[in-house]
Amino acid sequence: MRVLLLGGNGYLGPHVVAELERDHELVLTDITPIETPHAAMVVDIADPEQVRAAARGTDAIVNCSVQRRDGRGAFAVNTLGTMNALRVAVDLGHRRFVNTGPRFTLVGNTYLDFDHDITEEIPPQPGTGLYALTKSLGHELCRVYSEQHPIHVLMLLFSSFRDLPSPDQEPGDANPFAVTFADAARAIRCALEVDLATLPSPFETFFTTVDQPQQHCRCGKARRLLGWEPRDDLSGYVRRG
């Protein structure tokens, strides 16, 4: 499969490249140049024609682009940029689109402060943060496009990326919605390779986290539908030996 990776030089992008490059042909883009043996372009995702040029000849798009702080930039990247990528994917006849976002795209403090055992089926309550709101709008665009066009959109939600703790590490600050970079990249592979006919609907959202003792959020849906199983154990962050 020839895959366009938007945000290929960002926080998660390089780990996705390392996971996919042995089996897929990659086209990498970012707002700054990328040093890579793969095809690469400088692309502003807020510019639809730049996205279209990068996507020509591809079979699927993975959107890992993100802007967290600047108000105009966050809306341009997280909301309009997602719409630009969706529109291009539909025009090119792609059958699937993989989008990424933070946990609070759905699960804002309204849930986290008062609930546990949360699943992906909750009504979105992103809160009032700039990053959360703009990503939540992108999430809603994904839902609408999947309803109006013949494309499956798979939304992977992350929160905290961790390295594996060392055996002698003291327990520390551990987000109850955490995953290693390697496991996150494997989840994106699963979303790219899952048989779409096995999915319940054209729009599915997945929590991408290891099971933690806090039981705030569960990743059972990703296991059940994507066949994704986190390989890395992060219990060392919260348990004493």
Side-chain angles (χ1 to χ4, degrees), residues 144-191:
V144 171
Y145 265 75
S146 71
E147 290 179 349
Q148 299 297 321
H149 302 281
I151 189 169
H152 280 71
V153 181
L154 295 86
M155 181 80 186
L156 302 181
L157 298 185
F158 306 97
S159 179
S160 178
F161 297 105
R162 289 285 188 269
D163 295 318
L164 282 173
S166 61
D168 57 350
Q169 180 175 328
E170 286 293 316
D173 181 19
N175 190 311
F177 197 116
V179 71
T180 62
F181 284 106
D183 275 336
R186 283 191 283 268
I188 288 176
R189 171 188 284 277
C190 289

Side-chain angles (χ1 to χ4, degrees), residues 21-152:
E21 62 186 352
R22 64 183 178 271
D23 297 310
H24 298 281
E25 183 181 355
L26 301 179
V27 179
L28 311 182
T29 75
D30 213 302
I31 196 68
T32 57
I34 305 174
E35 292 187 12
T36 176
H38 303 287
M41 299 174 64
V42 174
V43 168
D44 180 356
I45 193 174
D47 185 325
E49 293 311 311
Q50 290 186 30
V51 177
R52 189 175 301 277
R56 289 194 184 100
T58 61
D59 305 298
I61 295 175
V62 175
N63 182 21
C64 290
S65 61
V66 60
Q67 172 58 256
R68 294 180 176 85
R69 296 176 181 86
D70 174 69
R72 288 178 181 270
F75 184 74
V77 172
N78 302 335
T79 305
L80 293 181
T82 300
M83 183 175 69
N84 291 337
L86 284 163
R87 183 177 295 163
V88 167
V90 167
D91 289 347
L92 292 177
H94 289 183
R95 297 185 61 232
R96 80 182 69 208
F97 182 93
V98 180
N99 200 37
T100 63
R103 165 188 61 181
F104 40 73
T105 297
L106 286 182
V107 189
N109 289 336
T110 305
Y111 286 116
L112 291 181
D113 291 346
F114 304 106
D115 216 335
H116 71 284
D117 224 4
I118 300 168
T119 72
E120 297 90 339
E121 311 312 318
I122 58 172
Q125 293 188 17
T128 59
L130 172 70
Y131 182 33
L133 281 174
T134 53
K135 277 292 189 178
S136 185
L137 288 170
H139 182 268
E140 180 65 7
L141 284 165
C142 288
R143 183 189 66 79
V144 171
Y145 265 75
S146 71
E147 290 179 349
Q148 299 297 321
H149 302 281
I151 189 169
H152 280 71

Side-chain angles (χ1 to χ4, degrees), residues 211-223:
D211 285 329
Q212 298 256 32
Q214 298 95 331
Q215 298 183 4
H216 251 167
C217 301
R218 294 290 193 174
C219 65
K221 182 178 176 181
R223 286 186 170 105

